[in-house]
Amino acid sequence: MSRLDKISIADTARWVAYYRAMESERPDALFHDPYARALAGPRGQEIVSKMRGGVALAVPNIIRSAVMDELITESIAERGVDFVINLAAGLDARPYRMELPPNLLWIEVDYPETIAYKTAKLATAVPRCRLERIGADLADAQARRSLFDALNARGAKGLVLTEGLMAYLTPEQAGNVAADLAREPSFRYWMTDIIAPMALRMVRRRLSRVMDAKTAIYQFAPAEGADFYARFGWSLVTYRSMLVDMRRFRREPRGMWFWLLLMPRFARAEPTRRHGPMTGTILMERVCE
């Protein structure tokens, strides 16, 4: 196996898109993304094929995508969400592959170069809802707040997605994003993935050889779980445990029994009042005035 160069933030979108392509081509696929392989391109396949344990890492990414699909559908149907803001959208193709109301507004935000690449690749594809893309650097706090202020006026009841984003931030940055989102009255719901400290350490060890430490390193794993976000005005609505959903979708990795013994709290279908470490997906509701 030849050497794999360090993976940048731009590469991670192609890497995860290739996982979606792998899943879509399974006979028992949890979802079908006909655009994933083209979006991943040769670079996405190269990363997975050359990364040690690269194929095995597909499972948590696929489970995360499938669970978020379910919660997005539920939020639209049962909570009245009328617009979705996908921050750090990467090469996600949900507006094209999911069954969505035609009048739903879906807004994707990412670096301008990622937006340009994605727009070119999907030039002939037709989204199933109203779709807009915005190129922006979310790390720029002033620009981020101005963007959020503008997006707040785009609908009455919004759902914000930050799939795969928060783990790259420092705790301070994560808190700033949470506070900025909570400032906007129409940002009613927020869905994100969450990782426990022990799980973060395991992932960091596996990826340390290939991730570019300057631009793509996992950092954020709140020991208090979803309670981290409560101080910024967010209340937990739903927690979906990664281990529970691996079993539900029959995507258990080898030796899963060991992790269930080692991390029983992470395998709970419902969190306790004091949430503690959590690995999976959380849906939160804005509660601050």
Side-chain angles (χ1 to χ4, degrees):
M1 181 178 293
S2 58
R3 177 179 175 273
L4 175 63
D5 293 332
K6 291 288 187 178
I7 300 170
S8 68
I9 283 289
D11 285 330
T12 62
R14 293 171 174 80
W15 167 28
V16 177
Y18 189 72
Y19 284 152
R20 290 193 290 269
M22 290 169 54
E23 177 65 20
S24 299
E25 292 161 9
R26 289 177 57 123
D28 60 345
L30 300 178
F31 55 80
H32 294 276
D33 185 344
Y35 309 99
R37 184 169 286 276
L39 288 167
R43 179 59 173 166
Q45 184 172 5
E46 177 193 23
I47 292 169
V48 174
S49 63
K50 293 183 179 180
M51 180 188 297
R52 182 179 179 183
V55 173
L57 283 172
V59 174
N61 284 278
I62 293 305
I63 295 299
R64 181 180 71 190
S65 291
V67 168
M68 287 192 169
D69 285 359
E70 291 180 341
L71 292 176
I72 291 167
T73 299
E74 177 185 303
S75 296
I76 294 169
E78 300 179 11
R79 298 184 175 90
V81 163
D82 61 355
F83 73 115
V84 175
I85 300 171
N86 191 355
L87 300 178
L91 302 179
D92 174 66
R94 285 190 177 96
Y96 299 89
R97 66 172 179 80
M98 287 184 65
E99 293 295 331
L100 299 169
N103 62 340
L104 178 78
L105 174 60
W106 191 292
I107 302 170
E108 298 182 334
V109 181
D110 212 313
Y111 290 116
E113 56 268 30
T114 299
I115 292 294
Y117 172 85
K118 186 176 187 178
T119 299
K121 287 290 185 180
L122 296 175
T124 61
V126 179
R128 299 184 179 187
C129 63
R130 298 158 55 207
L131 174 62
E132 297 179 14
R133 296 194 180 103
I134 299 172
D137 181 359
L138 294 171
D140 183 329
Q142 184 173 353
R144 182 177 69 236
R145 293 185 188 114
S146 296
L147 173 63
F148 289 177
D149 286 345
L151 294 179
N152 177 67
R154 301 305 306 277
K157 189 177 287 188
L159 168 65
V160 178
L161 304 180
T162 54
E163 181 179 11
L165 170 63
M166 303 306 289
Y168 289 106
L169 307 182
T170 65
E172 180 181 6
Q173 290 170 332
N176 289 339
V177 169
D180 289 346
L181 290 173
R183 289 176 60 243
E184 309 299 341
S186 70
F187 293 5
R188 289 285 301 278
Y189 298 99
W190 178 16
M191 189 189 309
T192 193
D193 48 304
I194 191 167
I195 187 168
M198 180 183 292
L200 179 74
R201 289 192 292 271
M202 293 166 51
V203 173
R204 280 176 64 106
R205 281 197 297 270
R206 176 168 287 191
L207 298 180
S208 61
R209 299 189 187 98
V210 295
M211 298 292 275
D212 183 344
K214 294 180 180 179
T215 59
I217 190 69
Y218 286 8
Q219 304 181 81
F220 181 59
E224 66 270 52
D227 288 336
F228 172 88
Y229 296 105
R231 74 188 74 160
F232 301 103
W234 294 97
S235 175
L236 182 67
V237 175
T238 300
Y239 165 52
R240 297 286 291 273
S241 163
M242 176 63 73
L243 293 180
V244 169
D245 283 317
M246 282 179 175
R247 286 184 290 173
R248 179 168 67 94
F249 288 125
R250 298 182 179 180
R251 291 290 193 275
E252 301 97 326
R254 290 182 181 179
M256 184 168 174
W257 63 270
F258 172 76
W259 298 113
L260 291 173
L261 290 174
L262 184 64
M263 302 184 291
R265 286 184 297 173
F266 303 165
R268 285 194 302 258
E270 295 294 334
T272 58
R273 184 177 181 185
R274 301 305 300 171
H275 305 127
M278 306 165 80
T279 296
T281 299
I282 56 176
L283 175 66
M284 299 175 288
E285 184 172 11
R286 178 184 178 275
V287 296
C288 64
E289 296 299 329

